[in-house]
Amino acid sequence: MGVEYDGSDFHGWQTQVGVRTVQQCLEAAISRVADHPLGVQCAGRTDTGVHAFEQVVHFDTTASRSERSWVLGTNVNLPPDVAVRWAHRVEDDFHARFSAVARHYRYQLQVRRTRSPLARNRAVWVHDALDLARMREAARALVGEHDFSSFRAVACQAKSPVRRVHYLEVDAEDDLVVLRIGANGFLHHMVRNIAGVLVAIGRGEAEVGWTRELLEVCDRTRGGVTAPPQGLFFVRADYPEHFALPQAAYRTPLQRLAAD
């Protein structure tokens, strides 16, 4: 399934005791349609307050339903802040996490003198002007395969800190500054830590070469502040074509690069 959600009132994706999570809501809704308990696996777990345009999940079931019935039946049983966009039958070798070949995120900053009540859960407010040229120059050092130890959470459980960043773009859309990033995988808090570093550079609080220095030292304690979660969106995950997933009809920067 492709799932969209507003993470504002969720304590992240993963099921936890005593708090509301996306996984719990989704499993309960799908289980009602399947008429048996089931668990779901996702492409990329999101933290408290983080949103998703098209999270990909998979589950195993003995129930026989049409793809339309899976979508409509699940959505009837979901709260307003999460919805299924599509459902698709896959072979047993598909896995939402391990079959993904790339993942894409978007981080939004609202740059203006006064805060916006309407954007409070969609973008992080920055009241100072940001130097986008400095941010773009600093971002270039992060593209490619690197050890991202300085950009991972202390509690990150990934076996290796090495990831390949395919692109990292910094664009302005009216009063929004949008960071777009795609990689073969991400470490815990990696995008938010990158955003925090780039904002500091854009404000002139750090030199442009700080990103390169952080890659070299491989030390999270030197990595600066973790940016807040509400500006972060899981955009999508990419899969081999033979799975034929009916994903949203838009191209990520990685797909644009491949077409050029």
Side-chain angles (χ1 to χ4, degrees):
M1 287 179 167
V3 182
E4 182 177 7
Y5 53 86
D6 177 342
S8 303
D9 294 328
F10 287 107
H11 286 260
W13 162 266
Q14 190 171 12
T15 296
Q16 303 167 60
V17 177
V19 295
R20 183 173 184 260
T21 69
V22 181
Q23 185 178 17
Q24 286 172 312
C25 288
L26 192 60
E27 287 178 346
I30 300 173
S31 294
R32 293 193 66 176
V33 180
D35 199 27
H36 68 80
L38 53 78
V40 300
Q41 300 289 330
C42 73
R45 290 178 293 182
T46 51
D47 292 329
T48 298
V50 178
H51 319 291
F53 288 116
E54 192 180 49
Q55 176 73 265
V56 176
V57 307
H58 85 266
F59 57 91
D60 298 321
T61 179
T62 56
S64 179
R65 309 280 187 270
S66 69
E67 293 177 354
R68 182 173 184 272
S69 294
W70 282 116
V71 173
L72 297 181
T74 302
N75 282 339
V76 165
N77 291 290
L78 284 171
D81 46 2
V82 56
V84 174
R85 299 182 61 167
W86 50 262
H88 183 69
R89 188 181 302 277
V90 290
E91 299 298 326
D92 290 341
D93 62 342
F94 177 85
H95 193 287
R97 177 184 174 189
F98 298 119
S99 298
V101 296
R103 293 167 180 81
H104 308 267
Y105 283 87
R106 172 187 177 107
Y107 194 91
Q108 297 188 160
L109 304 156
Q110 186 175 49
V111 184
R112 68 182 214 181
R113 296 296 299 274
T114 58
R115 61 181 177 84
S116 169
L118 299 178
R120 70 189 188 281
N121 292 327
R122 299 289 184 278
V124 172
W125 175 43
V126 179
H127 58 79
D128 300 319
L130 295 175
D131 188 326
L132 300 192
R134 286 170 55 87
M135 294 174 70
R136 288 173 180 139
E137 184 178 351
R140 283 197 288 270
L142 300 176
V143 176
E145 186 170 279
H146 304 287
D147 182 326
F148 283 93
S149 292
S150 295
F151 296 91
R152 70 189 298 186
V154 173
C156 180
Q157 299 178 354
K159 294 180 180 179
S160 170
V162 176
R163 296 292 185 271
R164 175 173 291 279
V165 171
H166 300 301
Y167 64 87
L168 176 51
E169 300 180 341
V170 181
D171 294 313
E173 300 176 3
D174 297 324
D175 61 359
L176 284 182
V177 170
V178 180
L179 312 181
R180 297 184 181 87
I181 183 169
N184 62 351
F186 289 89
L187 303 167
H188 191 199
H189 286 175
M190 179 173 159
V191 179
R192 290 169 57 191
N193 289 333
I194 288 174
V197 167
L198 292 182
V199 168
I201 292 171
R203 282 173 164 165
E205 298 170 354
E207 295 301 320
V208 170
W210 191 27
T211 49
R212 192 176 300 280
E213 293 173 10
L214 289 174
L215 290 175
E216 293 173 354
V217 299
C218 299
D219 183 355
R220 174 60 200 140
T221 63
R222 304 269 296 274
V225 67
T226 300
Q230 63 266 29
L232 183 59
F233 294 77
F234 181 97
V235 176
R236 63 173 279 153
D238 294 341
Y239 296 90
E241 291 185 2
H242 71 268
F243 289 122
L245 300 186
Q247 293 179 283
Y250 54 74
R251 294 199 302 170
T252 66
L254 181 58
Q255 291 168 319
R256 295 202 305 268
L257 286 171
D260 291 340

